[in-house]
Amino acid sequence: MKKTIFLLLAIGFVSMTSVAQEINWVSFEEALKLQKKTPKKIMMDVYTNWCGPCKMLDKNTFQNKAVADYVNEHYYAVKFNGEGNEVINYKGKSYNNPNYNPELANRRNSAHTLASYFQISAYPTIVFMDEKADVLAPIRGYQTPPQIELYLKMFKNDDHKSIDTQEKFNEYYKAFKPEFKG
């Protein structure tokens, strides 16, 4: 009996201390509304249900405390299924997935027209937007916490505005000192 109680207490303690930090995800349209009240940049995670690296990004990067804290403070965070069937209104146009097949919900589906508009051709892709919801850049592929930190801080601080060549990006990258632990 004592062993059982001790085991339950130990499991409870471990599960309480390993609770992942949560990013405050909102819908794209909600982020656009929030921007009108309090301007902030948007970080949009464009994923699909079948994408393994997308799931790794969620688990290993977006649940990292330093990443989540930084995103929650400086960005509106949006999750967007690049093959989903949600209707999105953006900059006076309506976007959807006219060829969406619900039977393929957990497998490859057709691309959402907003994903096509953003020229997303790989998953995951993180789309950074300014305070007016204009696209700054799409960042393709899985990012570790230190890797995404570079982009989070670069766009938040508008450092990207002075980077107009690969050489300038390389200099910025070499000078960057990541603080987030992977």
Side-chain angles (χ1 to χ4, degrees):
M1 181 69 173
K2 287 182 182 179
K3 287 182 181 179
T4 304
I5 292 172
F6 177 76
L7 182 62
L8 289 173
L9 287 172
I11 290 170
F13 178 75
V14 168
S15 66
M16 284 181 3
T17 59
S18 65
V19 172
Q21 179 67 25
E22 291 289 326
I23 288 180
N24 299 323
W25 298 104
V26 297
S27 71
F28 187 44
E29 291 188 355
E30 181 66 20
L32 297 175
K33 287 178 191 173
L34 289 167
Q35 274 192 325
K36 290 177 181 174
K37 291 179 185 175
T38 307
K40 274 190 190 181
K41 290 181 174 62
I42 293 174
M43 179 199 75
M44 177 188 279
D45 172 29
V46 185
Y47 70 97
T48 63
N49 293 331
W50 52 263
C51 169
C54 299
K55 293 172 185 171
M56 288 175 48
L57 185 67
D58 264 344
K59 182 180 176 188
N60 301 333
T61 303
F62 291 145
Q63 292 186 22
N64 176 288
K65 180 172 176 25
V67 171
D69 288 346
Y70 194 88
V71 169
N72 288 338
E73 182 176 350
H74 300 289
Y75 288 87
Y76 293 118
V78 173
K79 276 205 162 296
F80 175 68
N81 185 345
E83 295 181 353
N85 64 345
E86 168 179 23
V87 175
I88 303 286
N89 293 302
Y90 172 67
K91 303 246 181 212
K93 290 188 178 181
S94 184
Y95 297 87
N96 62 9
N97 190 343
N99 299 314
Y100 180 79
N101 182 345
E103 294 175 15
L104 300 177
N106 291 317
R107 293 180 284 174
R108 289 187 185 261
N109 217 311
S110 61
H112 194 285
T113 56
L114 185 64
S116 298
Y117 177 77
F118 288 154
Q119 299 179 352
I120 293 170
S121 59
Y123 302 103
T125 294
I126 301 168
V127 177
F128 287 93
M129 300 177 167
D130 67 14
E131 292 83 354
K132 295 179 181 173
D134 292 327
V135 174
L136 299 173
I139 307 300
R140 291 172 181 82
Y142 172 75
Q143 305 287 313
T144 65
Q147 289 170 326
I148 199 170
E149 179 184 4
L150 171 86
Y151 298 107
L152 287 169
K153 291 182 177 178
M154 181 176 70
F155 292 119
K156 188 259 175 204
N157 297 326
D158 289 328
D159 293 339
H160 65 283
K161 291 180 179 180
S162 63
I163 300 172
D164 56 2
T165 65
Q166 183 65 47
E167 291 76 23
K168 286 183 182 178
F169 178 81
N170 292 346
E171 290 172 21
Y172 184 85
Y173 179 80
K174 285 179 187 176
F176 185 75
K177 304 289 185 232
E179 298 170 7
F180 299 175
K181 302 292 182 230

